[in-house]
Amino acid sequence: MDSLEEQGSEGQTDVSAITSEAKFAAEVLLAEYKTLRDEILKKMDHRTSMVVCSVTVSSAVLGFGVERANGPLLLVSPLVSLLLGTLIAFQNAQIGEASEHIRNEIEAPLLSAYAGYHGWHQVKRDPKYRLKQRLLPYHLPLILIAAAPAVVAIPLAVANAKPLILTLPILFVDLCLLAVYITQIVKLRDLL
């Protein structure tokens, strides 16, 4: 009887016989790698959609607020941009975690087993290198997309704080979201 077909006393397949084979381990690793790469690509697509949504909505709301000189309406723009900015940072962190897993659990063992193998995630592994390489063309624009509406809208909203009873609560929420966003960026900086 083949080791894959070994039967236990209850007629069930012996799973340990299957899972101990090198071919099975290679298939699992390959499936995990492909699944993680697909997940990274989907998260990158979601991130792009959120960036486009943030720019579009916050710009439109900011324009309406400026046109109408309406404090509460002006403060909706940072609300949207900071919420989406926080979600974008979270997506970036998840992409970073998946990349780190691929680098450490899949590519590193291949690198040690096969001299000369250099996986993409392994080559781009140094977070300091990534930060320096991507700060101006990538990180700074994402931070500005999230924070610039707050920098523009808050002073304008305070200058046009009519009615004050509506402006103050929204202003408080915006400032809290700005603090949450900054905290997330600092906390997740190694994964971004």
Side-chain angles (χ1 to χ4, degrees):
M1 189 180 263
D2 190 336
S3 67
L4 292 177
E5 298 173 353
E6 288 180 18
Q7 300 291 317
S9 61
E10 299 171 8
Q12 297 177 346
T13 303
D14 183 9
V15 176
S16 64
I18 297 170
T19 58
S20 65
E21 293 187 18
K23 183 178 177 186
F24 177 80
E27 288 178 21
V28 168
L29 267 176
L30 185 59
E32 180 181 28
Y33 179 82
K34 180 171 177 12
T35 301
L36 286 170
R37 288 297 305 150
D38 289 345
E39 183 177 332
I40 288 170
L41 292 174
K42 287 178 186 174
K43 288 186 181 301
M44 291 170 82
D45 285 345
H46 291 146
R47 180 185 60 200
T48 301
S49 297
M50 285 189 276
V51 168
V52 170
C53 179
S54 179
V55 169
T56 304
V57 173
S58 63
S59 297
V61 172
L62 190 60
F64 290 135
V66 167
E67 181 184 320
R68 291 173 176 75
N70 184 311
L73 185 57
L74 282 163
L75 292 174
V76 171
S77 178
L79 187 80
V80 169
S81 68
L82 291 168
L83 283 172
L84 287 171
T86 302
L87 288 172
I88 290 165
F90 181 69
Q91 288 287 332
N92 281 342
Q94 288 184 321
I95 291 167
E97 287 173 346
S99 295
E100 191 173 298
H101 181 80
I102 289 172
R103 181 174 40 258
N104 295 335
E105 303 300 323
I106 298 173
E107 289 183 350
L110 286 174
L111 182 63
S112 66
Y114 301 101
Y117 170 78
H118 299 291
W120 188 87
H121 290 273
Q122 198 67 30
V123 172
K124 303 287 185 178
R125 74 177 176 256
D126 184 8
K128 291 177 185 169
Y129 167 77
R130 286 193 326 245
L131 181 63
K132 289 176 187 176
Q133 179 190 28
R134 296 171 31 172
L135 181 64
L136 287 177
Y138 178 73
H139 293 295
L140 185 61
L142 280 182
I143 290 169
L144 289 174
I145 286 169
V151 171
V152 172
I154 290 174
L156 290 172
V158 170
N160 296 294
K162 299 171 195 161
L164 190 59
I165 193 136
L166 288 176
T167 305
L168 288 178
I170 301 170
L171 178 61
F172 177 74
V173 170
D174 282 350
L175 292 173
C176 288
L177 284 173
L178 184 58
V180 166
Y181 177 73
I182 291 168
T183 302
Q184 288 298 96
I185 293 296
V186 170
K187 179 180 166 189
L188 300 172
R189 70 183 173 274
D190 290 338
L191 292 172
L192 301 177

